[in-house]
């Protein structure tokens, strides 16, 4: 039996300081690598076959776009907030990659091209983690086959754009709608930037995935739907980890999905208690 763990919005480093709950990142790494929890939880962690980071590894505040309008002498000795954030991300990826294969997708606020499909983050940003062959820097959208299960997902721009310009208010409902119309990003290029493909549309579904996900949603959600030709698809809305401290665990055999929540842990907590592994 294998598991796939999905994360979204892993880091939230800001110009003012570290993320609000820096300990949750380390707790999550400890859970995935089997260094936290009782014997049963460690046994489950040993079956994690892949970790997918669903974009927005850096927060919006790390972009420091206001520095462009400042005089050069005011920014000469200042360091971009994204530099420390990338260093922190490199250390997290190093710990994860040492134990389990990790696929890293870019997101809206990450240092890569803005238009879809987004190209992989450059390996020079992760000098520590790229020493492991288990680290894979991938595109957004991303498609992979893990233990015979087809995964397809995005960092969430396609769903959030529809949410912004439509009357639909449930991200999981929007995700299901894009699957049923067989197009990952139906609002591109009208309201969502995408590369101008003139011969074929790469966002059209050529085959039905087993797991279809989107990252950076306000809350967790999952749903199994049946297709007209008896296809079974697990829909997963992966929440923003920096805001919800919640990751997702997918059972590759049964396609059951459950959240792993660390929302009970704050910076002031001194003890571990009530590790929420979901129902």
């Amino acid at each position: 039996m294998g598991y796939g763990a999905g994360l979204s919005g892993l880091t939230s480093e800001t110009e003012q300081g570290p993320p609000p709950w820096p300990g949750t990142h380390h707790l999550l790494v400890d859970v995935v690598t089997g260094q936290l929890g009782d014997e049963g939880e460690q046994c489950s962690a040993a079956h994690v076959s892949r970790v997918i980071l669903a974009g927005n590894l850096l927060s919006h505040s790390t972009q420091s776009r206001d520095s462009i309008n400042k005089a050069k002498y005011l920014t000469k000795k200042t360091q971009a907030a994204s530099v420390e954030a990338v260093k922190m991300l490199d250390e997290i990826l190093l710990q994860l990659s040492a134990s389990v294969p990790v696929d890293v997708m870019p997101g809206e606020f990450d240092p890569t091209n803005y238009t879809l499909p987004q190209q992989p983050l450059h390996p020079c940003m992760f000098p520590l983690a790229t020493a492991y062959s288990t680290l894979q820097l991938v595109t957004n959208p991303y498609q992979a086959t893990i233990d015979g299960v087809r995964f397809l997902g995005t960092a969430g721009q396609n769903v959030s754009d529809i949410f912004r310009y439509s009357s639909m208010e449930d991200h999981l409902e929007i995700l299901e709608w894009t699957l049923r119309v067989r197009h990952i990003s139906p609002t591109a290029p009208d309201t969502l930037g995408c590369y101008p493909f003139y011969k074929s549309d790469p966002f059209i579904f050529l085959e039905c995935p087993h797991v279809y996900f989107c990252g950076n949603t306000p809350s967790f959600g999952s749903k199994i739907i049946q297709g007209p030709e008896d296809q079974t698809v697990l829909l997963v809305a992966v929440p923003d980890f920096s805001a919800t401290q919640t990751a997702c665990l997918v059972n590759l055999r049964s396609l059951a999905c459950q959240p792993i929540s660390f929302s009970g842990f704050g910076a002031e907590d001194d003890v571990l208690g009530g590790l929420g592994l979901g129902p």
Side-chain angles (χ1 to χ4, degrees):
M1 179 171 62
Y3 290 94
L7 312 176
S8 178
L10 184 61
T11 62
S12 181
E13 192 82 12
T14 67
E15 295 180 356
Q16 290 75 26
W21 287 285
T24 55
H25 300 139
H26 299 292
L27 286 172
L28 177 61
V29 171
D30 289 343
V31 168
V32 173
T33 57
Q35 302 180 56
L36 189 67
D38 59 23
E39 183 177 351
E41 290 164 351
Q42 290 177 348
C43 182
S44 297
H47 289 89
V48 173
S49 57
R50 187 79 61 92
V51 173
I52 300 177
L53 306 184
N56 278 4
L57 307 170
L58 305 184
S59 71
H60 177 68
S61 58
T62 61
Q63 294 183 330
S64 304
R65 291 182 176 178
D66 58 338
S67 63
I68 299 176
N69 300 321
K70 292 182 180 179
K72 292 290 185 180
Y73 72 90
L74 293 177
T75 60
K76 183 177 181 180
K77 295 185 178 180
T78 60
Q79 189 178 50
S82 58
V83 174
E84 288 300 320
V86 169
K87 287 182 179 179
M88 175 183 174
L89 176 60
D90 189 18
E91 294 174 356
I92 292 175
L93 293 179
L94 172 65
Q95 298 176 57
L96 286 173
S97 301
S99 301
V100 63
V102 181
D103 296 342
V104 181
M105 299 170 56
E108 180 182 1
F109 306 131
D110 296 325
T112 185
N113 60 298
Y114 177 77
T115 57
L116 295 180
Q118 289 183 299
Q119 297 306 298
L121 298 172
H122 200 282
C124 71
M125 294 189 293
F126 312 112
L128 300 177
T130 49
Y132 289 91
S133 60
T134 49
L135 177 69
Q136 184 175 203
L137 304 176
V138 301
T139 60
N140 171 38
Y142 174 53
Q143 180 174 280
T145 300
I146 305 173
D147 293 341
V149 178
R150 292 192 301 274
F151 279 74
L152 176 64
T154 70
Q157 293 102 313
N158 58 330
V159 172
S160 61
D161 191 67
I162 297 174
F163 175 81
R164 187 180 299 113
Y165 293 105
S166 73
S167 59
M168 289 188 286
E169 299 181 352
D170 185 2
H171 285 68
L172 196 63
E173 177 189 357
I174 297 173
L175 188 67
E176 179 181 352
W177 180 78
T178 61
L179 177 65
R180 293 193 181 278
V181 299
R182 301 181 182 182
H183 199 283
I184 295 176
S185 185
T187 58
D190 298 325
T191 56
L192 184 63
C194 74
Y195 187 83
F197 296 95
Y198 63 94
K199 289 187 177 180
S200 61
D201 190 343
F203 300 121
I204 294 176
F205 285 86
L206 298 180
E207 61 179 351
C208 185
H210 296 116
V211 179
Y212 183 42
F213 67 91
C214 69
N216 300 286
T217 61
S219 60
F220 166 78
S222 68
K223 179 181 181 181
I224 293 181
I225 63 173
Q226 300 292 331
E229 299 178 1
D230 294 329
Q231 305 102 319
T232 299
V233 183
L234 169 64
L235 304 176
V236 184
V238 184
D240 184 347
F241 186 81
S242 63
T244 64
Q245 291 81 53
T246 301
C248 304
L249 192 65
V250 177
N251 189 314
L252 300 181
R253 178 178 295 177
S254 64
L255 292 186
C257 182
Q258 66 180 37
I260 305 176
S261 179
F262 299 89
S263 59
F265 301 107
E268 71 282 355
D269 292 337
D270 294 325
V271 295
L272 300 179
L275 178 60
L277 292 176

